[in-house]
Amino acid sequence: MRSVRDGRRQDRSVHPHHRGVARGLALDLGSSRTRAWVPGRGVVADTAHGNGEYGHGRPVRRGRIVDPESCGRMLARIADRALGERREDMVVVLSHPVLAGPGHRTAAREMLRALGASDVIVLDSARAAAACAGPEGGGPLLVVDLGAELTEVTLLVDGLVRDARLAETGLSDLEPGEPPAAVVRAVLDMVMAMWRQDRHGALLGALRRGPSLVGGGALDPGVTHRIAVRLGVPVRLLDDPATAVVRGAGLILGSVLRHATATALPGRSR
């Protein structure tokens, strides 16, 4: 299990000035699938890795880019289909695992710049999921991301990553018919580790509010029920949890585009 407790925003701000951008593409680069979202159109791509279209290997394993060439080729094809080949007026938002290392984030930025976009934003999946979850009264938020090869638990307070834990296990590690005990145990262990480190009651507030479950694993009622029972609290299952991260990244992208449009209007400060 990997973890971080620093209370800092991951990567740069998602509200800088983006002059000259009018279009955008949001991407969720997962271990088993890549999803893309375009403003006004919604999810425009849901591509399984290793299906032969971009190569028979899987470009991402356990949340890490292991084949940058095929990964870049896949993202370029998705961008071509979604927005065409002219991309100098485009901004791309890509989500990554909260605990993705600097090598992964650097590789992601390089691939996005190779697409020809005028600007790129790389942000963690927990903040993207939080954008999709909505304010719901504000306060601390616990995001449980149940992926194919990773399980992440992130505590957000005022938009900051207060604590994040990652287990390199997911639903794809289970044998057919095998109960999801290992995944549920990983979630419970990570929450308990956070509990032991929590000094301000933020985790308790987030648990009272109800953890937000996202990722393809959240579609399994056996997983969500077991997590609720073991934690002893109700869980919040977001609509279409498998696409919650890319839709949240899309909402952040929409905010960036609206801000870019507003600052470009006559009489507005730049």
Side-chain angles (χ1 to χ4, degrees):
M1 179 176 70
R2 287 187 280 148
S3 66
V4 62
R5 299 184 68 252
D6 59 12
R8 295 177 296 171
R9 290 186 184 275
Q10 304 295 304
D11 303 306
R12 65 184 184 140
S13 170
V14 297
H15 295 289
H17 294 284
H18 295 273
R19 297 180 182 178
V21 297
R23 303 181 301 155
L25 178 67
L27 295 164
D28 175 22
L29 184 61
S31 295
S32 65
R33 309 186 73 87
T34 293
R35 297 179 173 92
W37 187 97
V38 172
R41 295 167 58 191
V43 178
V44 297
D46 190 344
T47 302
H49 298 170
N51 63 2
E53 185 176 2
Y54 310 104
H56 294 283
R58 294 172 60 183
V60 181
R61 298 300 303 267
R62 305 291 178 191
R64 302 181 183 92
I65 298 171
V66 296
D67 187 348
E69 182 178 347
S70 64
C71 192
R73 187 165 56 247
M74 175 183 66
L75 295 181
R77 186 75 61 83
I78 290 173
D80 285 345
R81 291 176 177 174
L83 295 172
E85 296 183 0
R86 186 179 65 83
R87 294 194 282 268
E88 64 273 9
D89 61 344
M90 181 181 80
V91 60
V92 180
V93 176
L94 182 140
S95 69
H96 61 75
V98 179
L99 295 177
H104 176 96
R105 295 195 298 271
T106 298
R109 287 192 180 95
E110 289 176 352
M111 286 188 300
L112 295 181
R113 292 190 181 104
L115 296 180
S118 45
D119 208 348
V120 300
I121 298 171
V122 179
L123 77 155
D124 64 78
S125 56
R127 282 192 289 159
C132 188
E136 293 289 336
L141 178 67
L142 191 68
V143 177
V144 179
D145 193 340
L146 302 161
E149 295 184 345
L150 295 178
T151 301
E152 289 188 295
V153 178
T154 307
L155 177 63
L156 296 165
V157 179
D158 297 329
L160 301 176
V161 177
R162 173 69 62 82
D163 199 346
R165 313 274 165 156
L166 178 150
E168 293 191 351
T169 185
L171 272 294
S172 66
D173 295 310
L174 303 177
E175 297 293 334
E178 180 184 358
V183 174
V184 175
R185 166 54 62 181
V187 172
L188 184 64
D189 287 347
M190 288 186 281
V191 172
M192 293 308 297
M194 286 182 173
W195 184 276
R196 289 191 290 270
Q197 297 291 329
D198 187 26
R199 296 291 183 267
H200 305 286
L203 180 62
L204 179 59
L207 288 173
R208 286 174 174 168
R209 181 181 180 184
S212 293
L213 270 55
V214 300
L219 294 170
D220 186 333
V223 175
T224 56
H225 174 71
R226 284 175 169 84
I227 290 175
V229 169
R230 295 300 300 273
L231 290 179
V233 297
V235 297
R236 300 173 61 209
L237 188 63
L238 300 192
D239 293 338
D240 193 9
T243 66
V245 169
V246 75
R247 289 186 288 119
L251 291 174
I252 292 171
L253 169 64
S255 176
V256 169
L257 293 176
R258 287 192 297 273
H259 182 75
T261 300
T263 56
L265 292 175
R268 296 293 185 96
S269 62
R270 292 181 181 269

